[in-house]
Amino acid sequence: MVCLYVDDLIYTGTSQHMIEEFTSAMIKEFEMTDLGLMKYFLGIQVKQSPGEIFISQEKYTEDMLKRFHMTTCKQISTAMALNEKLQRNDGAEKSMESCTEVLSGHSFT
């Protein structure tokens, strides 16, 4: 599997030998550096250990709370109802549209 994002390349496989061959071929063909295991990509933190990959948006969430001066707000375990089926048009009135636009258009690098 290969995912190309502007100037970042993520690849994975089940064979370490195949991954090493692919890395060598890419380094020979393109001007690139192997940065090793992925730690952070597109706002998602990645923690890897043998047999496990854990992803989270903890840093992104902390950055958003800081941006909107909400770091001292009361925490809850989940921000939405569990097992609720979400629908695009549920008939409810739109709310916080300008905030949503700001959040969706903001990226952290």
Side-chain angles (χ1 to χ4, degrees):
M1 178 170 89
V2 176
C3 176
L4 182 63
Y5 177 76
V6 184
D7 59 353
D8 294 328
L9 177 68
I10 299 172
Y11 52 94
T12 186
T14 56
S15 165
Q16 186 63 35
H17 178 69
M18 181 185 74
I19 292 171
E20 290 168 2
E21 280 185 351
F22 181 79
T23 303
S24 296
M26 292 300 290
I27 289 173
K28 286 178 187 172
E29 184 69 27
F30 302 101
E31 184 179 327
M32 67 176 259
T33 304
D34 183 4
L35 300 176
L37 294 176
M38 181 171 48
K39 293 182 177 66
Y40 194 80
F41 187 73
L42 297 177
I44 298 175
Q45 288 173 275
V46 181
K47 297 177 184 175
Q48 300 180 53
S49 59
E52 295 182 320
I53 299 176
F54 178 78
I55 60 173
S56 75
Q57 290 188 293
E58 184 178 349
K59 182 180 181 335
Y60 174 80
T61 304
E62 289 173 0
D63 290 343
M64 294 307 293
L65 289 172
K66 287 177 188 172
R67 178 179 175 157
F68 292 99
H69 310 289
M70 297 176 66
T71 54
T72 59
C73 289
K74 183 179 176 183
Q75 296 180 9
I76 60 172
S77 59
T78 184
M80 60 189 300
L82 298 174
N83 301 318
E84 183 159 332
K85 294 185 180 191
L86 302 178
Q87 300 174 10
R88 173 170 271 184
N89 297 313
D90 62 0
E93 188 177 325
K94 289 185 178 181
S95 63
M96 295 177 44
E97 189 168 345
S98 62
C99 183
T100 303
E101 290 171 1
V102 169
L103 292 173
S104 64
H106 188 77
S107 64
F108 292 92
T109 54

